Amino acid sequence: MERSKKVVLLCHCILNSNTKVEGLAKNNGIGKGIVNLLIENEIGMIQLPCPEFMCYGLKRWGHVKSQFDTPHFRKNCKMMFEPYADQITDYISNGYEVLGVMGINGSPTCGVERTCQGDWGGEWTSTDEWQSRLDTVEYIDEMGIFIEEIKKTLDDMKIKVPIYGINFSNVEESYEIIRKILK
Ligand code: SF4
């Protein structure tokens, strides 16, 4: 088999939904469908690390973007991506096509067009206002922290690689993105 000389970088939970916040992993087959499409088209898949799992583990609560927007988390996101930025550079300089980075819309970390934000945090047992604080959580049209750091790194290195957002709640929309990058 000839090598395709085409690769794509996938946010971690597209290939491994076990790192998602417990309760969030829905088995609607999107991850499997995306992977099948990529395999059928002989696209090499590079799995990015899951920053939330690496920093906060499997027992973390669901967060909003402002909770992860700390110098430490940003620094770690940047550090985690650097080895992948080096791989991208090497692929491109050897004539390979890096088709894109696939993020996860809605995630405070890996969102591309959409992330979640709100006045959320603090000690649950010290307040009876948690429901009204939870009600402030909403989706906004911004990137998550990891994707912001990925974009900054690529921009600083003057590397042009598109970043796409997969929508785990919309199978057809997600497949359409994959078909678009395969054209
Ligand atoms: S969206 Fe990103 S941070 Fe969240 S589970 Fe997936 S890879 Fe991890």
Side-chain angles (χ1 to χ4, degrees):
M1 186 179 89
E2 293 287 319
R3 60 178 68 198
S4 69
K5 292 199 157 191
K6 290 179 183 173
V7 297
V8 67
L9 291 96
L10 304 174
C11 274
H12 189 96
C13 63
I14 295 173
L15 288 162
N16 175 23
S17 59
N18 290 300
T19 61
K20 283 174 166 281
V21 168
E22 284 183 354
L24 280 186
K26 295 184 188 122
N27 188 15
N28 59 5
I30 289 191
K32 193 174 168 193
I34 289 171
V35 171
N36 285 342
L37 271 174
L38 294 170
I39 290 174
E40 280 164 21
N41 287 276
E42 297 179 1
I43 311 298
M45 286 173 268
I46 300 169
Q47 185 182 30
L48 292 168
C50 172
E52 291 184 23
F53 174 52
M54 299 281 279
C55 293
Y56 295 97
L58 286 177
K59 288 293 178 194
R60 68 191 185 279
W61 294 110
H63 284 54
V64 295
K65 182 179 176 182
S66 59
Q67 291 171 298
F68 287 134
D69 196 359
T70 66
H72 174 80
F73 191 70
R74 281 194 181 274
K75 192 160 62 187
N76 275 275
C77 284
K78 186 172 162 51
M79 276 167 30
M80 279 181 222
F81 183 66
E82 274 166 3
Y84 297 89
D86 290 344
Q87 292 176 50
I88 291 172
T89 304
D90 202 50
Y91 275 125
I92 292 173
S93 62
N94 283 285
Y96 286 63
E97 254 184 277
V98 180
L99 300 179
V101 174
M102 312 298 300
I104 313 288
N105 275 339
S107 162
T109 304
C110 298
V112 180
E113 287 96 11
R114 200 161 57 255
T115 188
C116 59
Q117 190 59 289
D119 178 21
W120 182 232
E123 169 55 52
W124 280 45
T125 54
S126 68
T127 177
D128 54 9
E129 293 174 357
W130 64 269
Q131 184 58 56
S132 57
R133 297 184 76 177
L134 188 55
D135 288 343
T136 68
V137 176
E138 60 178 351
Y139 289 115
I140 57 167
D141 297 340
E142 286 182 21
M143 292 177 173
I145 304 293
F146 189 37
I147 298 295
E148 283 182 350
E149 293 303 319
I150 288 175
K151 183 161 184 342
K152 265 191 240 166
T153 302
L154 293 175
D155 287 350
D156 288 349
M157 295 172 78
K158 304 206 183 329
I159 298 171
K160 285 198 186 337
V161 171
I163 305 176
Y164 301 98
I166 291 295
N167 181 353
F168 266 101
S169 318
N170 189 328
V171 180
E172 203 35 55
E173 185 186 305
S174 300
Y175 290 167
E176 201 41 51
I177 293 167
I178 301 295
R179 289 189 201 105
K180 196 164 95 185
I181 69 168
L182 293 174
K183 276 183 190 158

